[in-house]
Amino acid sequence: MKNTTGYPMAGGSEAAMHGTIKEEIAGRPTFGELVSVFGRIGLLSFGGPAAQIGMLHKAVVEEKRWLSEERFLHALNYCMLLPGPEAQQLATYAGWLMYGVRGGIVAGLLFVLPGLAVIMALSAAYALFQETTWLTGLFFGLKAAVLAIVVEAVIRLGRKTLRNRFLVVIAALAFVALFVFGLPFPLVVLAAGLAGFLASRIDPARLAAEPATDIMEVRRPPLLGSLLTLAFWVFLWQLPLLVLWLFAGTESLAAMFSFFSRMALVTFGGAYAVLAYVAQVAVEGYGWLMPGEMVDGLALAETTPGPLVLVLSFVGFMVGFRFSPGLDAVFAGVVGAALAAWATFVPSFIWIFAGAPYIERLRGNAALSAALAAITAAVVGVILNLALWFGLHVLFAEVARIPLWPSTEPGGEPVAGLWWPVWQSLDPAALALFLVSAFLLFRLKLGMVAVLTVCAAAGLVLRLLL
């Protein structure tokens, strides 16, 4: 049934947007439904950004039909250009579209809090017992199921966005730039947008976007209001630093919070883009971690739901646990983990609440439609790159990078290379669970929760038997 629904928008209040949506969508959910669905996504968001974006798309576009395909992709394009965890920003944007600031806060927090609680518990166990080997089989089945969800997301987005040969070429080039050359994906996305804009100048009809079906008239936010909104969120972001300065014995926590605040502004390209630098600073610069502990923290973060950048909360826990005299070690560790998460994730809310009202005004703009179409195509290449990388590491115990040509500097990293599996390290159980998941998704059309549940149970059984 076709509904005509208005979604309130935020820019300080829920009445900042006026208009109607004309789309085959189910209409705005109740706030309780919003909480329920985003809470479920937060609990099940394993597998990194590709899987998380796929889960968000399946939930809010395919299953619930709260947002149109076009609106979802418009939000995704914006989030791909921002520093920080793009999937959490996308969840915040989606919640903001439906219930303004409070919807964005709830959706963004629910995407992070389950994983944060898990990483705190695992970090405490690690700090007390220095043992992580028992985690290897904990989410074995879930990862195989998530891989199938990622593949489905790539196929679904590709079919709906790659409308012509030019967009297919853009997606392919984006994939090669990322998978082979390892270029930062914000650079790839910006280059795609420029290519689309220039191509539209040569042949305007070639890349003309399909007319938007749920355009809303967005009132331009007043400049003073936007600046006040930005100032409020920046103050809230840095408020813990002011509090830490008032207490003795928290110098290490303050230094950690300040360092991760700076990292939040430059984390383009996902968690892996900054982990090497964070590990070096944490071990050699501050002495927060011992060599090898960052790898252990990454293993913990990979077994939890939520953004992989939650590994920074592991670092925060260890800082609080080891360097907070006068406080109970575990309590101080929890405080440190919470501070790391605050420094990392609050900027995501700033980007959405301050920038999204302006981004929404760009929808339906003919001059930008070709650039956005090319960016969307590049996003398909980005997700394909993430999916292939994730799939290789789920199905194979060993994956190596084969250089296509050597580095120009002795001992330097190769300019280009391919991630290639060691075929003898194939995990037959993981392959079997992936094929079962694909059958349940593509053939039987089961929902995401059902597939994850079945494969999680099967994975636990296999690990107990093997």
Side-chain angles (χ1 to χ4, degrees):
M1 183 174 67
K2 182 174 288 188
N3 292 343
T4 301
T5 308
Y7 284 1
M9 296 289 293
S13 78
E14 295 183 6
M17 176 166 285
H18 306 282
T20 59
I21 294 178
K22 297 178 180 179
E23 177 69 15
E24 290 289 343
I25 58 176
R28 188 175 72 163
T30 67
F31 196 72
E33 290 173 328
L34 180 80
V35 171
S36 175
V37 168
F38 279 95
R40 183 189 71 182
I41 292 172
L43 288 168
L44 300 175
S45 56
F46 298 90
Q52 292 155 3
I53 292 169
M55 288 181 182
L56 283 166
H57 183 274
K58 192 170 184 65
V60 303
V61 177
E62 295 287 330
E63 295 179 352
K64 298 297 183 180
R65 297 184 294 115
W66 291 341
L67 297 179
S68 68
E69 183 80 30
E70 180 188 15
R71 199 173 203 89
F72 181 90
L73 291 175
H74 183 81
L76 178 58
N77 289 339
Y78 174 57
C79 295
M80 281 288 184
L81 298 175
L82 299 174
E86 61 274 12
Q88 188 246 350
Q89 292 160 354
L90 183 59
T92 303
Y93 200 128
W96 178 83
L97 280 171
M98 290 179 274
Y99 272 95
V101 171
R102 65 170 176 151
I105 290 174
V106 167
L109 285 179
L110 288 175
F111 195 83
V112 172
L113 289 180
L116 178 60
V118 173
I119 199 69
M120 284 180 176
L122 296 179
S123 298
Y126 178 86
L128 292 170
F129 307 113
Q130 292 289 307
E131 177 61 48
T132 60
T133 55
W134 59 276
L135 291 169
T136 55
L138 189 57
F139 296 111
F140 171 66
L142 282 174
K143 286 188 176 182
V146 163
L147 177 57
I149 293 172
V150 171
V151 172
E152 185 196 30
V154 172
I155 294 173
R156 187 169 57 240
L157 290 175
R159 285 175 176 172
K160 293 183 177 181
T161 60
L162 305 182
R163 303 189 308 270
N164 56 51
R165 186 176 299 174
F166 177 81
L167 295 178
V168 172
V169 170
I170 290 290
L173 290 176
F175 171 76
V176 171
L178 292 161
F179 190 78
V180 177
F181 294 95
L183 297 180
F185 72 69
L187 176 63
V188 173
V189 169
L190 285 172
L194 179 61
F197 179 78
L198 294 177
S200 70
R201 293 285 186 173
I202 299 172
D203 185 0
R206 182 177 180 83
L207 285 180
E210 296 178 359
T213 56
D214 59 348
I215 287 294
M216 292 179 123
E217 183 182 350
V218 183
R219 188 169 61 202
R220 183 187 298 273
L223 179 60
L224 180 59
S226 297
L227 292 176
L228 289 175
T229 298
L230 180 62
F232 168 78
W233 281 99
V234 171
F235 171 77
L236 187 67
W237 176 32
Q238 292 301 301
L239 182 60
L241 191 59
L242 299 178
V243 175
L244 289 171
W245 281 343
L246 299 176
F247 293 92
T250 59
E251 291 82 4
S252 292
L253 289 175
M256 180 270 298
F257 183 86
S258 179
F259 173 67
F260 286 149
S261 294
R262 296 193 299 271
M263 286 295 95
L265 301 177
V266 297
T267 51
F268 295 97
Y272 286 108
V274 296
L275 284 185
Y277 177 69
V278 171
Q280 181 180 11
V281 171
V283 175
E284 299 177 6
Y286 289 101
W288 292 333
L289 301 178
M290 292 181 286
E293 286 188 330
M294 193 68 179
V295 176
D296 294 337
L298 181 60
L300 296 177
E302 286 181 329
T303 60
T304 64
L308 186 59
V309 76
L310 279 170
V311 66
L312 300 185
S313 288
F314 166 80
V315 178
F317 187 97
M318 300 306 293
V319 172
F321 186 87
R322 290 171 172 168
F323 303 102
S324 299
L327 295 176
D328 175 78
V330 174
F331 173 77
V334 170
V335 171
L339 288 171
W342 187 277
T344 302
F345 293 109
V346 169
S348 295
F349 294 100
I350 298 176
W351 311 136
I352 301 305
F353 297 151
Y358 295 95
I359 296 300
E360 281 296 306
R361 289 183 60 84
L362 299 179
R363 298 185 66 244
N365 188 308
L368 295 173
S369 62
L372 292 176
I375 288 175
T376 302
V379 167
V380 175
V382 170
I383 297 177
L384 177 59
N385 168 67
L386 294 171
L388 184 55
W389 190 93
F390 178 62
L392 289 173
H393 287 78
V394 168
L395 299 178
F396 296 90
E398 297 180 42
V399 180
R401 186 165 176 80
I402 301 176
L404 295 183
W405 57 79
S407 171
T408 55
E409 299 180 4
E413 290 292 325
V415 177
L418 295 175
W419 291 105
W420 199 259
V422 177
W423 294 101
Q424 295 83 352
S425 69
L426 175 66
D427 188 337
L431 178 61
L433 285 175
F434 165 68
L435 294 176
V436 169
S437 303
F439 178 78
L440 296 177
L441 277 172
F442 291 97
R443 186 68 176 177
L444 300 185
K445 306 295 183 183
L446 293 186
M448 180 175 60
V449 175
V451 173
L452 289 171
T453 302
V454 169
C455 290
L460 287 174
V461 171
L462 284 174
R463 279 298 186 232
L464 290 174
L465 294 177
L466 297 178

